[in-house]
Every structure is written in structure tokens, then in C-alpha cells.
């Protein structure tokens, strides 16, 4: 049964994999025996995390600015130059913006939509030859896009462009799944709820809000690194080989039990 969830030896890319949710996902893959390439805008952060994860396995740091098309294509070119195949692409790098609707700026749309929607698409397009090179009918290549609970339910976060961008990546994932199935490439979206990341710091630092959140979540707790890493490893393993075009909420029941 353990072979069902075996990802050892796979080449995995996790964008934004040096910290936050991406770090949780990347660490899980490294500990599971995959070769993991992580990206971060800051080289020092990327190298520090890769060194820490390197104690458990193979982790390669690559600095990249994925907020621009040029930076995204530059990363793709560097990876294509060093790898002969890609087994799993985890599009995790993202950006958010929160403000009351009365003062929500127009400038908060282009950047958020760009890195949360266009960048994943660009990476899929640029990595398509390497994804095809790895894919077989029995063991497809996998695209895992990191969506959000905010794409499934209307959370009162005043993060208008972020919620819209995540709804977009959810639907884009289904379109990619339909178009790439003929090449034995699956595409799924993982929709995390509340996890202990910097994006959630404003809630965790307010004891009353944090306790209120715990009462709202049917499973009465926020997510752990094992929760998000386990979901991605499932989708990347033999256990998830027949799954494509799916939205997988990892939110303690917030979207499914209300």
C-alpha cells in the first residue's frame, strides 16, 4: 500500500517553495524522497530553506521574480537547461491584497491577477515539453495549482482581487485538465483554508479573532504542514493518477460543511 503514495525520485517544482504553504509542500516532497526545486524572489531566503530541507533529501534553490513575464520565462529557461523531465509542477507562488472596498486601489488588480493566474499558465506552457517527456498513461505528469477557500465561499477578508484570481485559477485548472489529458498530464487545484502562514498573521495575532475562527471551522483547528503536503503528495502519487480537473478543499470542512 505504501507504493500508492510513493513519489521518490520524482522531479518536483514548487514555486514560492521557500516559505509559507509552499515551504510546507516542498518539505513534504523532500522528506518523501523527491528531488525538489524551490523558488523565491529572495535568493538568500531560497538558499537558506534549501539548506534546511537538504538535511532530509534533495532540494535545489532557484531565485526568481515571478511577478513579471520576463522573470517567469527566465526561470523556465534555467530549469529547462538543467532538467530532462518534470514530473510535478506545483504552482504555489502568489500575492494578496486586502483593503476596504472604498479604498481598494486599482493597482491591486494587475499584479495579483498576474502572479496568481498568468504566471501559472506561463509556466505550464513553458514546461509543457518536459511534462510531456515524463508522462505515461500509468503515471501521468501532474500540475497542482494552489487555489484558495476564497474561490469556493465568500470569506469576509476584503481581498477582492485575490479572491477573484483564485476563482480564475480554479477554472483555468479545469480547462488545462481537459486540454492536457490527451498527453497524460493531469491538472488539479488544491484549495487551502486557514494555515499558519504570514497571510494569516493578522488573525493569529488577535486572540479573539483566532478563537472565533477555530469555532467556525468544523474540525476546530487550522491546517498543519502535514495536511497540505499530504494532499499534494496524494495528487502526485499513484494514488492520484486517475484524478484530474478536481478542486480539493483542505479547509477543515469550512466549504463542505456549511
Amino acid at each position: 500500500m505504501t507504493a500508492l503514495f510513493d513519489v521518490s525520485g520524482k522531479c518536483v517544482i514548487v514555486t514560492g517553495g521557500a516559505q509559507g504553504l509552499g515551504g510546507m509542500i516542498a518539505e513534504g516532497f523532500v522528506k518523501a524522497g523527491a528531488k525538489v526545486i524551490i523558488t523565491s524572489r529572495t535568493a538568500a531566503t531560497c538558499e537558506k530553506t534549501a539548506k534546511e530541507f537538504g538535511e532530509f533529501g534533495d532540494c535545489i534553490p532557484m531565485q526568481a521574480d515571478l511577478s513579471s513575464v520576463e522573470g517567469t520565462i527566465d526561470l523556465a529557461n534555467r530549469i529547462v537547461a538543467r532538467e530532462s523531465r518534470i514530473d510535478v509542477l506545483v504552482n504555489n507562488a502568489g500575492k494578496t491584497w486586502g483593503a476596504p472596498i472604498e479604498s481598494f486601489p486599482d493597482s491591486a488588480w494587475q499584479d495579483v491577477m498576474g502572479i496568481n493566474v498568468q504566471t501559472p499558465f506561463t509556466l505550464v506552457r513553458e514546461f509543457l515539453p518536459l511534462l510531456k517527456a515524463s508522462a505515461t498513461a500509468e503515471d501521468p505528469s501532474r500540475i497542482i495549482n494552489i487555489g484558495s477557500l476564497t474561490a469556493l465561499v465568500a470569506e469576509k477578508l476584503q481581498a477582492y482581487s485575490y479572491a477573484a484570481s483564485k476563482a480564475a485559477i480554479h477554472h483555468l485548472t479545469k480547462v488545462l485538465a481537459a486540454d492536457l489529458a490527451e498527453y497524460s498530464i493531469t491538472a488539479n487545484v488544491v484549495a487551502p483554508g486557514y494555515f499558519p502562514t504570514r497571510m494569516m498573521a493578522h488573525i493569529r495575532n488577535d486572540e479573539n479573532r483566532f478563537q472565533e475562527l477555530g469555532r467556525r471551522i468544523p474540525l476546530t483547528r487550522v491546517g498543519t504542514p502535514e495536511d497540505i503536503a499530504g494532499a499534494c503528495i496524494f495528487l502526485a502519487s499513484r494514488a492520484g493518477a486517475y484524478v484530474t480537473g478536481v478542486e480539493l478543499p483542505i479547509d477543515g470542512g469550512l466549504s463542505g460543511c456549511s
Side-chain angles (χ1 to χ4, degrees), residues 34-59:
K35 176 175 74 172
V36 182
I37 299 172
I38 61 171
T39 77
S40 174
R41 181 178 297 191
T42 306
T45 300
C46 203
E47 291 166 5
K48 178 176 181 293
T49 300
K51 184 177 181 180
E52 292 172 358
F53 292 174
E55 296 181 8
F56 309 110
D58 193 0
C59 188

Side-chain angles (χ1 to χ4, degrees), residues 15 25 44 48 71 83 91 99 113 129 148 159 171 182 199:
T15 64
I25 295 166
K48 178 176 181 293
E83 301 296 333
N91 283 309
M113 294 296 289
S148 173
H171 189 69
E182 65 177 295
M199 284 187 181

